[in-house]
Amino acid sequence: MFVIVSGLWIVIRYFIYSLTRKDTADKAVQVDLIKEKPVIVENENPTRPCRTLKRSSGDDYTSQRCHQKTSKGKSVCVARRENTPTQSCCKSSELIRTSPYTKMAEAPTNFTEIRKANPNPSTWLRNCMKQPAQTSTNEMKEWLDQIEVKWFDEGNANRAAVHAQVSELLTQHFITASNPYSACIYMIERCRDFYTGKTTTLSFYIMKEFERWTRHSKKKMDDLLSQDIRFHAFLMATERHMTLFDMAVKAFKLRHIGNDYFLPEIKKFLEKGKHKEACHCAGKLGLQGHFSMQEIILPLLLQDKVNLVESYVIGNPEQQKAVVQLLDHLCDRETDINRIIESSGVQNVKRDKLQKKTLSKLAVRLMKLYQIPQEHCPNISNARGVGALKYLMYKRYIEKTFGSGSWDEMVKNAVGENDFLKEQLVEQLMCYNDLPEAAKWAMIYRLGDDKLPRPVREAKERMASEQPGHGATGGWDDTGGENWDDDCYTEQDLQKYYHSLSVPLEQITLVDTRDKLSVCVARLCVPGTVIGIDSEWKPAFAAQPQRVALMQFAVMDHVYLIDCTTLRSTLTDQDWADFTGRIFCNKDTVKLGYGLETDLTMFTKTFPSMKEPLMRMKRVVNVEDLSKQIFGDGPVVLDESAFMSDGEDGGPSGGGPSGGGPSGGQQDKGEGSVKPYSFSKKEERGLSELVRQCLGKPLCKVEQMSDWEKRPLRQAQMVYAALDAYVLLEVYTALTSHARQMGLQINLEPPVCAKWSKPSKTDKKRAKAAGKSLEPRTLVREGVSVCFETPRPAQSGPPITPHQLRVVVDTMLQGLGKHLRSCGVDVVILEANNDHEKAVMISKEQGRIALSSGYPYKMIRSHVGEAMCYSVVSQKAGEQAMEVLKHFNVKVTQKDIFSRCQVCNGDEYLEIPASDLKILYDRKLQLESEKSRTNSSNNVTVSSMLGNLSSDGAHFLKQYNVDWGTVTVATSGAPLQVEAVHKSKFESVELFYCCANCGKVFWEGSHFSRVCDQFSHVLSIDDNQTVYDRLRKQSS
């Protein structure tokens, strides 16, 4: 009997166990059929059998249970929902894709419930339960509901707290989810504001947080990313708007090898005429090589969307070259742009932007940016060459600032071997009716008679007959052309009008060997020596590279011309660095320059090894800055008559252009008379003008535009170069003497601004075009790496409030200053025209910490000490602010946000209700209309409206500290900037806050929440009180 009962009990248990397994299997394959079309889930291995219901016996139970017949008779895996006939199945918990719009499948298996129902599982069930639990759709739906409740809570006005709470929830869900990528897509697609293409939506915030989380997460998740998930993410980010696309590319790693499966979707954009979207997708995904110029680039150029074209070819030299060549083709005289527009079928063409001249300028800019050799763009090169010739003609025939030697050199440099420019040169000379010059160049370039105008052919024949075998010109009074040499001035005339070199030619040395360089350095290093420094380089045409050809170093008894063109092949990088260190880092000598930043930039561009010693230079004076310290920006007040030579009647002694000097009234050309003369614009500014004001005569600049790389140098070039350096000694002597006579308490050796050490705008643009970034810590130029300061560790100790941190931000970090000020930090921001020296002065006078970066930081640190300055390493302004706040251990609360005026750094506000501010708004309109006297009718209306309030001006003064008569802040006198407030704001805003220092008007809006969101990682939300709450409490 016992055996029978036991047997029955075993059968009953087995029957119950079988039912339990069957119920569990039914749950494991349960899915949510959202669309009619079956879809394909990710599957890296198509032959892998279904893991959900896999049996150890290997029978066909799996295919029977996990496949069902659809209404159309196809066998479809309900775990995978394939749209093809029966195949092997994959994990049912993975992300699936629908067509045309993708949804998420039910994640079926919940092993927690299975464990509860089966305390003693079988071997098969234990193997299944070893797998990680898959996140179900219901769980993700609960997450989204929880997040949406907090996000769309209209009763909670503290958006910063909402963002912080939602961010924390999202981070927890991403960590918990079995596949964070699937969870992210599910929540974004089902957000109620998913179809709104704005950056203030919940879907955008989820994508931003997920991108941030994937960037900082240490969890390895590459095996969770499949082609299907990436394709799903692409569709999600591009179907309705492109707001999420850039973040999706980073978070889902859409730019990878073999991502050409996105091409069909991008081509759909082109079919719909959405060239902007196609350009953005192809550029971000690195698929530019799959599209021709006519598919994307040409339509964008026709629509004047050049910025998209530039972003499209970033980091792709071949595409950049193709773009410039396309523009070169459009600039061809024979190209019919109207025909191209008609054949392209592009809508909204900007025809006014497709002129040849406009396209040529764009092409030239891109040639420089991408450093495309001019031989690849013949049409653009020819246009630029013609422009260079016209410029040279203007300098010679209009300004008359060319010597004969300089003219020949620059013409040959501009024309080169271009046959088209040779013919254009003759035509341009004919425009100025200079037949002798045209004939001369026709003979030099051996132009055929069939390419020359008849007058030039005749002049050429006469030249050949009078001077056979020679190409030089003689007197051509009989050619019918004008003799331009009649208006040229002799050397005696130039000396009469221009400042001349007081050092004899024997004391000018051209340094072109190591031995001569050693002698030069020994003389320049004598203690107490004052050295004038200048440099020369060849003017560039058609994007030719520029480099220093000559350096000039002048002392009182000698001038040394360093021949860089010759020594470049002789000296090593270390030799140039040693030479620079011995000259510029010598504290026993004074070095002078004018506009020195340009020279220093060219030094480091030509010889990168010079940069490091130049950052340690001592006693280097920019004479231009010194003259501004003494005289300001106004005219110099030195007595010019003190510098006149006795007996000079026609010189500058007549008082300049208005006197009896060379630029005065006309004089008859009789015996002993002086030709009328006027200085060029170049001679009326810069160093030449300073020399005239200090020494009585300007500098002659006719040799400035010379081929300084051609050897040997002409004597006129050597004299010009020596004078440019030597005259600095004379000007410095005059300036220092004047300062001492006037008793001026100024620094006669002001330090040189370090702006030259920064990467130029061109360097930054070229780095961006190459897909790189110039990090502030390391700048690589021409193979030489220069290291910047590394960040110091964060300060220890208790946290401080933003108002306790007082800093001064130099001109390079103005964006950082604005971000810190928005957090309540006491910040002084230097203007763009301020030097780093001002940051040093403010730091010392006001006890502020100076914030800078790179080489300027080193200069500031040498003056204020390391404790009073900080080197900012981060690249973007927001990241820089985070770095500074963390380093100084600043605790930012919501009441600190906007506690300071963003314009003037003030921390006091006037609270004015909308009704009263509207009255002040009308009052200011009344004052302006009375001042202009242009709208009498409106004047009467406003006066009648405000007449009864004029007697109540004491109310505004007492209540708001505002002067009714002038609508200004009574304490500071600053005008209240109510005119900047739009009239609609008086209806939607209840309370306004006016800066008591500058009069700027603010009000509480969405910008507050955006700033709180930006600094949420360092924002303390223990106290939810905002600055607006604090101000309202103070007023109450």
Side-chain angles (χ1 to χ4, degrees):
M1 187 65 180
F2 176 79
V3 173
I4 295 173
V5 173
S6 299
L8 290 173
W9 175 245
I10 292 173
V11 171
I12 292 172
R13 288 189 59 187
Y14 181 79
F15 179 75
I16 295 173
Y17 177 71
S18 299
L19 291 177
T20 304
R21 287 184 60 187
K22 183 175 183 301
D23 181 67
T24 303
D26 290 339
K27 290 182 179 180
V29 298
Q30 188 180 21
V31 294
D32 181 14
L33 296 177
I34 301 172
K35 293 282 185 179
E36 288 186 3
K37 292 186 179 181
V39 294
I40 301 174
V41 75
E42 67 155 328
N43 186 9
E44 299 290 348
N45 185 6
T47 62
R48 187 175 182 179
C50 181
R51 292 170 52 187
T52 307
L53 300 175
K54 180 179 178 181
R55 282 192 174 188
S56 58
S57 59
D59 56 19
D60 61 348
Y61 178 75
T62 299
S63 62
Q64 294 173 358
R65 294 300 303 158
C66 71
H67 282 76
Q68 297 177 353
K69 294 288 185 178
T70 65
S71 59
K72 296 184 179 180
K74 292 185 180 180
S75 177
V76 179
C77 174
V78 294
R80 190 176 171 210
R81 272 189 254 162
E82 295 181 344
N83 196 20
T84 56
T86 307
Q87 290 184 0
S88 300
C89 305
C90 187
K91 295 187 294 182
S92 62
S93 60
E94 294 295 334
L95 176 68
I96 61 174
R97 174 167 55 87
T98 62
S99 177
Y101 191 70
T102 313
K103 297 292 182 182
M104 300 292 299
E106 180 79 23
T109 309
N110 191 334
F111 287 110
T112 303
E113 298 180 4
I114 297 177
R115 289 188 182 94
K116 292 180 181 179
N118 298 274
N120 298 312
S122 64
T123 303
W124 168 82
L125 191 57
R126 283 198 300 269
N127 291 335
C128 290
M129 289 190 297
K130 289 180 181 179
Q131 303 175 21
Q134 304 296 317
T135 306
S136 67
T137 305
N138 291 333
E139 288 179 289
M140 290 187 288
K141 187 176 184 301
E142 291 176 1
W143 294 350
L144 181 59
D145 292 340
Q146 184 184 12
I147 292 171
E148 285 186 334
V149 167
K150 292 185 176 296
W151 185 268
F152 296 105
D153 183 10
E154 297 180 357
N156 190 352
N158 190 349
R159 298 304 299 172
V162 171
H163 288 184
Q165 294 170 6
V166 171
S167 176
E168 184 178 356
L169 287 174
L170 287 172
T171 302
Q172 294 175 358
H173 297 332
F174 293 148
I175 295 174
T176 306
S178 58
N179 191 328
Y181 297 103
S182 304
C184 175
I185 294 177
Y186 179 91
M187 288 189 286
I188 290 177
E189 287 184 330
R190 286 161 177 78
C191 282
R192 67 179 71 172
D193 57 9
F194 172 62
Y195 296 108
T196 305
K198 294 183 178 180
T199 59
T200 56
T201 60
L202 175 59
S203 57
F204 181 87
Y205 190 78
I206 293 175
M207 187 73 256
K208 185 177 72 170
E209 286 296 307
F210 182 68
E211 190 275 328
R212 181 187 62 82
W213 180 76
T214 55
R215 187 163 18 98
H216 295 94
S217 176
K218 298 181 180 179
K219 183 179 178 181
K220 295 182 178 180
M221 301 181 296
D222 291 345
D223 56 333
L224 300 177
L225 265 178
S226 67
Q227 178 175 320
D228 287 319
I229 288 181
R230 287 185 168 115
F231 192 82
H232 193 163
F234 176 87
L235 294 178
M236 173 198 71
T238 60
E239 184 164 3
R240 294 300 180 94
H241 50 79
M242 303 290 292
T243 311
L244 308 176
F245 185 74
D246 289 359
M247 293 184 293
V249 171
K250 298 177 182 178
F252 291 87
K253 301 178 181 178
L254 302 185
R255 182 163 184 163
H256 63 91
I257 299 176
N259 64 346
D260 51 358
Y261 51 87
F262 295 121
L263 289 175
E265 297 299 323
I266 298 177
K267 290 181 178 179
K268 289 180 182 178
F269 284 129
L270 296 177
E271 294 171 0
K272 298 176 183 179
K274 297 183 176 181
H275 300 95
K276 176 181 177 181
E277 289 78 3
C279 170
H280 192 67
C281 292
K284 289 294 182 181
L285 298 177
L287 298 173
Q288 300 97 321
H290 296 272
F291 299 93
S292 65
M293 289 288 106
Q294 287 69 27
E295 288 180 292
I296 293 182
I297 297 296
L298 180 59
L300 292 176
L301 289 175
L302 296 180
Q303 295 174 344
D304 192 33
K305 296 180 179 178
V306 181
N307 57 332
L308 292 178
V309 173
E310 293 186 42
S311 64
Y312 178 77
V313 298
I314 285 178
N316 196 323
E318 292 299 324
Q319 290 283 330
Q320 293 170 353
K321 179 181 176 182
V323 168
V324 177
Q325 289 179 332
L326 175 61
L327 289 170
D328 182 71
H329 172 68
L330 295 177
C331 292
D332 191 351
R333 294 181 178 181
E334 300 180 358
T335 300
D336 188 352
I337 294 183
N338 291 326
R339 185 176 179 181
I340 292 177
I341 295 174
E342 293 173 0
S343 62
S344 67
V346 178
Q347 304 296 325
N348 301 322
V349 176
K350 307 293 185 182
R351 292 181 178 269
D352 58 324
K353 300 293 184 180
L354 298 177
Q355 304 298 325
K356 301 284 186 181
K357 187 174 182 179
T358 305
L359 293 174
S360 179
K361 288 182 178 180
L362 172 62
V364 169
R365 181 174 69 83
L366 294 183
M367 276 184 65
K368 291 181 179 180
L369 181 64
Y370 302 142
Q371 297 179 298
I372 305 296
Q374 56 181 331
E375 54 265 19
H376 295 294
C377 310
N379 296 308
I380 301 172
S381 299
N382 289 340
R384 294 197 70 193
V386 173
L389 289 177
K390 290 181 179 179
Y391 175 74
L392 294 177
M393 302 288 175
Y394 176 82
K395 300 290 289 185
R396 174 177 171 86
Y397 295 111
I398 305 301
E399 287 192 354
K400 301 179 182 179
T401 55
F402 258 129
S404 59
S406 301
W407 161 256
D408 290 350
E409 292 171 356
M410 298 313 299
V411 167
K412 291 179 180 179
N413 186 33
V415 173
E417 300 300 325
N418 192 314
D419 294 334
F420 172 78
L421 294 181
K422 293 176 182 177
E423 298 176 13
Q424 286 295 314
L425 171 62
V426 175
E427 290 186 14
Q428 294 296 324
L429 289 171
M430 285 291 296
C431 293
Y432 287 93
N433 199 25
D434 194 349
L435 290 179
E437 194 71 14
K440 182 187 81 171
W441 287 105
M443 295 183 66
I444 291 175
Y445 287 127
R446 302 178 185 277
L447 297 179
D449 291 342
D450 57 327
K451 298 180 181 180
L452 298 176
R454 183 177 58 83
V456 178
R457 289 199 304 268
E458 295 175 353
K460 180 181 174 183
E461 293 172 358
R462 284 193 294 270
M463 179 184 295
S465 62
E466 293 182 8
Q467 295 183 350
H470 297 282
T473 61
W476 292 96
D477 296 336
D478 58 340
T479 60
E482 297 184 23
N483 191 345
W484 294 91
D485 293 333
D486 287 345
D487 290 333
C488 295
Y489 292 87
T490 64
E491 184 177 353
Q492 291 75 16
D493 290 335
L494 294 179
Q495 289 181 355
K496 192 177 190 65
Y497 301 137
Y498 290 104
H499 185 75
S500 58
L501 181 65
S502 58
V503 175
L505 295 178
E506 294 77 15
Q507 295 179 354
I508 301 176
T509 302
L510 182 65
V511 179
D512 53 3
T513 63
R514 281 181 175 270
D515 295 338
K516 292 182 179 179
L517 185 64
S518 300
V519 175
C520 168
V521 172
R523 174 63 185 89
L524 297 178
C525 291
V526 175
T529 302
V530 181
I531 308 170
I533 300 174
D534 193 31
S535 61
E536 305 294 342
W537 52 87
K538 184 176 72 173
F541 293 105
Q544 296 173 348
Q546 287 183 303
R547 53 187 181 180
V548 175
L550 198 70
M551 295 182 188
Q552 303 101 276
F553 296 87
V555 293
M556 291 305 298
D557 58 350
H558 210 100
V559 179
Y560 297 93
L561 307 181
I562 310 298
D563 188 353
C564 300
T565 301
T566 303
L567 293 176
R568 188 179 293 113
S569 59
T570 305
L571 303 182
T572 64
D573 290 340
Q574 188 59 44
D575 292 333
W576 287 110
D578 294 341
F579 167 76
T580 307
R582 295 188 63 183
I583 302 300
F584 287 89
C585 300
N586 189 344
K587 63 181 180 180
D588 296 326
T589 60
V590 178
K591 281 72 65 176
L592 308 175
Y594 187 93
L596 203 54
E597 291 83 1
T598 305
D599 294 290
L600 296 176
T601 301
M602 288 299 298
F603 288 169
T604 56
K605 180 180 178 180
T606 309
F607 306 106
S609 60
M610 295 177 68
K611 187 161 192 175
E612 186 62 29
L614 283 176
M615 290 311 304
R616 297 181 282 104
M617 60 186 180
K618 296 180 176 61
R619 301 187 71 183
V620 178
V621 179
N622 191 341
V623 176
E624 180 182 15
D625 295 338
L626 178 61
S627 65
K628 290 181 180 179
Q629 285 189 30
I630 297 176
F631 306 115
D633 295 328
V636 178
V637 296
L638 290 180
D639 184 8
E640 298 177 4
S641 62
F643 305 102
M644 295 186 306
S645 299
D646 295 336
E648 289 187 359
D649 299 327
S653 59
S658 61
S663 56
Q666 283 279 16
Q667 301 180 18
D668 296 331
K669 289 187 179 182
E671 184 179 354
S673 64
V674 182
K675 300 175 186 178
Y677 188 84
S678 61
F679 298 118
S680 68
K681 293 181 179 179
K682 183 177 294 185
E683 292 155 357
E684 295 175 354
R685 62 178 184 265
L687 177 60
S688 178
E689 175 63 11
L690 181 60
V691 171
R692 187 193 69 81
Q693 293 171 334
C694 292
L695 305 179
K697 298 178 183 179
L699 294 176
C700 180
K701 310 299 288 186
V702 295
E703 291 293 338
Q704 185 177 37
M705 289 194 65
S706 300
D707 187 354
W708 291 99
E709 294 184 0
K710 183 180 178 181
R711 296 295 179 269
L713 293 172
R714 292 177 286 104
Q715 180 176 316
Q717 286 179 295
M718 296 181 65
V719 173
Y720 170 86
L723 178 59
D724 264 8
Y726 190 85
V727 76
L728 293 174
L729 306 177
E730 300 173 299
V731 170
Y732 183 70
T733 301
L735 292 176
T736 53
S737 299
H738 178 75
R740 294 188 181 99
Q741 291 175 4
M742 300 298 295
L744 301 179
Q745 300 297 321
I746 61 172
N747 182 9
L748 297 179
E749 297 180 10
V752 177
C753 176
K755 290 181 181 180
W756 62 271
S757 62
K758 297 189 302 179
S760 66
K761 290 183 179 180
T762 302
D763 292 334
K764 294 178 180 179
K765 289 180 180 179
R766 286 177 178 171
K768 182 180 179 181
K772 304 175 183 178
S773 61
L774 291 176
E775 295 291 338
R777 280 168 287 183
T778 304
L779 172 64
V780 179
R781 180 181 287 179
E782 299 183 10
V784 179
S785 178
V786 183
C787 296
F788 286 74
E789 287 292 314
T790 56
R792 300 202 305 265
Q795 292 184 354
S796 58
I800 62 175
T801 64
H803 286 261
Q804 291 177 296
L805 180 61
R806 304 176 71 247
V807 300
V808 54
V809 177
D810 70 5
T811 55
M812 299 186 301
L813 303 174
Q814 290 180 342
L816 165 63
K818 294 177 182 178
H819 279 74
L820 291 177
R821 189 177 286 173
S822 67
C823 292
V825 178
D826 187 356
V827 184
V828 173
I829 305 175
L830 298 187
E831 299 296 333
N833 57 348
N834 293 141
D835 294 335
H836 302 289
E837 182 185 1
K838 189 168 183 179
V840 174
M841 180 184 67
I842 294 176
S843 176
K844 290 181 177 180
E845 293 178 354
Q846 303 180 18
R848 294 178 179 271
I849 296 175
L851 302 182
S852 186
S853 62
Y855 285 108
Y857 163 74
K858 293 183 177 181
M859 187 274 289
I860 295 175
R861 182 183 60 181
S862 65
H863 289 80
V864 302
E866 190 169 7
M868 291 301 294
C869 61
Y870 177 74
S871 176
V872 181
V873 177
S874 301
Q875 191 82 336
K876 298 182 179 179
E879 297 173 355
Q880 292 171 346
M882 300 280 288
E883 175 189 339
V884 172
L885 293 174
K886 289 181 179 180
H887 173 79
F888 292 102
N889 198 12
V890 179
K891 181 179 180 181
V892 183
T893 61
Q894 292 189 68
K895 64 182 179 182
D896 296 316
I897 302 297
F898 293 150
S899 59
R900 287 190 176 275
C901 175
Q902 298 300 289
V903 178
C904 70
N905 198 44
D907 58 353
E908 295 184 8
Y909 293 93
L910 310 177
E911 297 179 52
I912 305 178
S915 57
D916 285 347
L917 192 69
K918 178 64 168 60
I919 295 174
L920 291 172
Y921 178 89
D922 294 335
R923 170 62 176 166
K924 193 151 191 178
L925 289 180
Q926 178 192 18
L927 294 175
E928 291 178 355
S929 62
E930 290 177 352
K931 184 178 180 179
S932 61
R933 304 286 185 182
T934 56
N935 193 345
S936 58
S937 59
N938 184 55
N939 195 8
V940 174
T941 302
V942 176
S943 299
S944 61
M945 292 169 51
L946 301 176
N948 58 342
L949 290 174
S950 60
S951 60
D952 198 25
H955 161 71
F956 288 93
L957 183 61
K958 180 179 180 181
Q959 187 73 18
Y960 308 120
N961 201 21
V962 174
D963 186 350
W964 168 262
T966 58
V967 193
T968 58
V969 181
T971 54
S972 64
L976 208 61
Q977 302 178 31
V978 290
E979 69 278 1
V981 182
H982 195 271
K983 289 184 178 181
S984 61
K985 293 299 179 182
F986 295 121
E987 303 295 334
S988 58
V989 179
E990 297 181 357
L991 192 62
F992 291 87
Y993 305 91
C994 308
C995 177
N997 188 45
C998 69
K1000 181 71 175 177
V1001 181
F1002 302 91
W1003 60 90
E1004 186 174 3
S1006 59
H1007 187 49
F1008 178 81
S1009 60
R1010 288 197 295 270
V1011 174
C1012 291
D1013 177 39
Q1014 183 177 6
F1015 295 100
S1016 58
H1017 306 298
V1018 295
L1019 191 65
S1020 174
I1021 59 174
D1022 298 338
D1023 183 8
N1024 291 333
Q1025 185 185 33
T1026 67
V1027 63
Y1028 307 107
D1029 298 331
R1030 178 174 61 83
L1031 291 173
R1032 282 192 286 266
K1033 279 185 178 180
Q1034 291 177 358
S1035 62
S1036 61

